[in-house]
Amino acid sequence: MKRNYTLVTLTFLIFFAISFLTNILGSINPNVSDSYTLSGTMTGLLPFSFFIAYGLMSIPAGMLIQKYGEKKCLAYAWILSLGGALLFSTFPVFPVFLCSLFLIGCGMAILQVASYPLLRVSGGEEHFAFNSVIAQLVFGAASFLSPFVYSYLVTNLGSENADSDFFIGFISKLVPGNLPWVSIYLIFAAISLAMVVIILLIRFPKVERKEDEIVGPWKTHAELFRKRVVILFFLGIFAYVGTEQGIANWISEFLRTYHGMRPEIEGARTVGLFWGLMTVGCVLGLALLKVMDSKLVLRIFTISSLIVLSFTLFGSSGLALLGFPALGFCLSVMYAIIFSFALNSISKYHGSFAGILCSAIAGGAIFSLLIGKLKDLIGLQAGMVVIYLPLLYILSISFWAKPIIANATIKRKTVESKS
């Protein structure tokens, strides 16, 4: 199929929007906690409500997309997101917020499952690896940007000059004066509506799946779950997302609790830098994977993350401000390497296995909630020590993983060409 640059651009836009909506919780958690007087456990329910949707929806989403096509499912996904954002913006109370996050999470799960096959077809198979990297960079850029948008909204809505800015003045009429952070969900609603319109206006090609990309029935998934390697890599993705979200969702609260920093200023900036340096680390990781075995790259980055986590949790305020963004850098290569190890460790049913791995994103729900519960029992600092456990599991993957196909390095290619 001829490359469709319009659809490639649309797919990048979808990745940007997914990331913009997904990774804001770490910035707003302290404000939400204050507004509704939440315990740590109740605060942990926020990311739980969002990420548990991935666990429930990823496998069914693959089946729905295969049956109804990418265009319909992408449109329905953004309608779910629009409904969730409008629901909470209209009724900004805590129980509605949990329902809203679940609806948005369901929409994001469908989008995530649909986007990669669409990118492969519209951009051409031979360019898929390159386009996937661009998509990850776009994803990271949006994660970096969203906390700063939130900071701009909250600080300006509460200022004396709010009425002099037309946009801020308009937003201020739509959100309760004591809940300025709700304004970010009006932005989410606007983004979701725009995406629905764009998708409906664009003509989509038929996505022809390779045999190993076809999502099988529940029987196939049950067969895969009986394989030890599938369970081990499911736990690997579960551990990674649990680590990522366990850190990101509690950065702002940690800085406020132990270093007296403002969530809407220093907290939001640090969360943004966490995602920004994750993007930078992704670029460096790509370069390293050309010269080093992926198991060694994963080992180096994971050991570094364990060291940086220690300084961040138990060091000074300066170390915390440096450490959290540095953790984003250290985590940057883990998801892609674990995912590739997993798919390269079985010879068939890759489409179904990918759905299983995406459902493991629910790890973000479990670890965020667990840290919240531990915060109530022993304090946030001690509670975040639990992050060492998934990191140690990820470190173990760098020793026991035995992919059928190893990553291509310059040295390996040279040896193969000589032989």
Side-chain angles (χ1 to χ4, degrees):
M1 174 186 164
K2 186 178 179 182
R3 296 176 72 184
N4 187 324
Y5 292 101
T6 300
L7 271 180
V8 171
T9 303
L10 171 64
T11 309
F12 290 155
L13 186 59
I14 289 172
F15 275 106
F16 185 92
I18 290 173
S19 179
F20 194 92
L21 273 67
T22 298
N23 295 316
I24 195 65
L25 283 175
S27 298
I28 70 172
N29 270 349
N31 288 140
V32 178
S33 179
D34 291 345
S35 298
Y36 299 127
T37 318
L38 303 179
S39 64
T41 304
M42 297 298 285
T43 304
L45 279 175
L46 299 173
F48 178 89
S49 298
F50 184 90
F51 283 97
I52 201 65
Y54 279 85
L56 297 173
M57 280 299 298
S58 292
I59 294 175
M63 297 177 180
L64 289 171
I65 292 163
Q66 200 162 271
K67 182 175 182 179
Y68 296 106
E70 276 69 19
K71 181 168 183 172
K72 285 183 180 179
C73 288
L74 287 173
Y76 290 148
W78 283 115
I79 290 170
L80 275 175
S81 175
L82 173 62
L86 286 178
L87 179 66
F88 177 62
S89 301
T90 307
F91 304 102
V93 294
F94 183 66
V96 172
F97 193 22
L98 296 180
C99 294
S100 168
L101 289 172
F102 181 76
L103 287 174
I104 296 173
C106 287
M108 297 303 103
I110 296 170
L111 291 168
Q112 192 111 323
V113 174
S115 296
Y116 278 107
L118 183 62
L119 183 62
R120 179 182 61 80
V121 170
S122 60
E125 274 189 55
E126 69 276 18
H127 302 289
F128 183 48
F130 178 81
N131 286 334
S132 295
V133 173
I134 299 298
Q136 287 302 309
L137 294 177
V138 170
F139 191 93
S143 297
F144 171 74
L145 180 64
S146 60
F148 291 97
V149 174
Y150 154 75
S151 181
Y152 165 77
L153 288 169
V154 172
T155 54
N156 282 280
L157 283 169
S159 70
E160 296 178 356
N161 301 320
D163 292 336
S164 62
D165 185 317
F166 173 78
F167 176 71
I168 293 296
F170 175 74
I171 292 289
S172 67
K173 293 179 174 62
L174 301 176
V175 299
N178 62 332
L179 300 173
W181 56 269
V182 174
S183 58
I184 195 70
Y185 282 86
L186 288 174
I187 303 299
F188 290 173
I191 291 172
S192 300
L193 178 60
M195 292 304 299
V196 171
V197 173
I198 292 170
I199 287 167
L200 291 177
L201 290 175
I202 292 178
R203 185 176 180 181
F204 279 59
K206 180 176 175 59
V207 175
E208 298 289 348
R209 288 173 172 79
K210 298 178 183 178
E211 185 178 349
D212 68 349
E213 291 178 329
I214 294 173
V215 179
W218 289 109
K219 181 181 178 181
T220 303
H221 293 85
E223 179 183 337
L224 283 169
F225 262 121
R226 285 194 288 269
K227 296 180 182 292
R228 181 172 176 269
V229 69
V230 169
I231 295 173
L232 289 174
F233 280 114
F234 174 89
L235 292 174
I237 296 295
F238 190 93
Y240 168 75
V241 182
T243 300
E244 176 197 274
Q245 293 300 319
I247 294 170
N249 288 323
W250 291 102
I251 288 174
S252 196
E253 182 63 32
F254 185 93
L255 292 176
R256 180 173 71 166
T257 302
Y258 297 103
H259 303 296
M261 298 181 190
R262 296 161 293 180
E264 62 274 12
I265 307 296
E266 295 90 352
R269 182 171 64 238
T270 306
V271 173
L273 289 172
F274 171 85
W275 294 113
L277 280 184
M278 185 176 285
T279 306
V280 174
C282 183
V283 176
L284 175 62
L286 287 171
L288 288 176
L289 288 171
K290 289 296 182 184
V291 296
M292 296 170 63
D293 186 90
S294 53
K295 291 170 71 172
L296 182 57
V297 174
L298 180 63
R299 196 172 306 157
I300 291 171
F301 275 69
T302 307
I303 291 172
S304 299
S305 68
L306 288 163
I307 295 169
V308 173
L309 179 63
S310 300
F311 284 108
T312 303
L313 294 183
F314 303 107
S316 64
S317 59
L319 283 175
L321 286 174
L322 292 172
F324 281 121
L327 280 169
F329 183 88
C330 293
L331 298 179
S332 58
V333 301
M334 295 181 186
Y335 183 85
I337 291 178
I338 296 169
F339 209 98
S340 65
F341 277 166
L343 293 183
N344 284 334
S345 295
I346 64 171
S347 57
K348 59 181 180 178
Y349 300 140
H350 292 110
S352 297
F353 191 17
I356 288 172
L357 293 174
C358 285
S359 68
I361 292 174
I366 304 303
F367 275 92
S368 295
L369 182 60
L370 176 59
I371 291 170
K373 181 64 176 178
L374 291 173
K375 174 180 181 288
D376 293 336
L377 296 174
I378 57 177
L380 180 57
Q381 184 182 56
M384 290 185 73
V385 170
V386 76
I387 294 170
Y388 285 104
L389 296 177
L391 281 174
L392 288 171
Y393 184 81
I394 292 168
L395 180 61
S396 77
I397 295 174
S398 72
F399 292 96
W400 56 253
K402 295 179 180 178
I404 298 169
I405 303 170
N407 67 299
T409 62
I410 294 172
K411 183 178 179 180
R412 187 170 287 139
K413 282 184 176 180
T414 303
V415 171
E416 288 175 354
S417 63
K418 287 181 179 178
S419 61

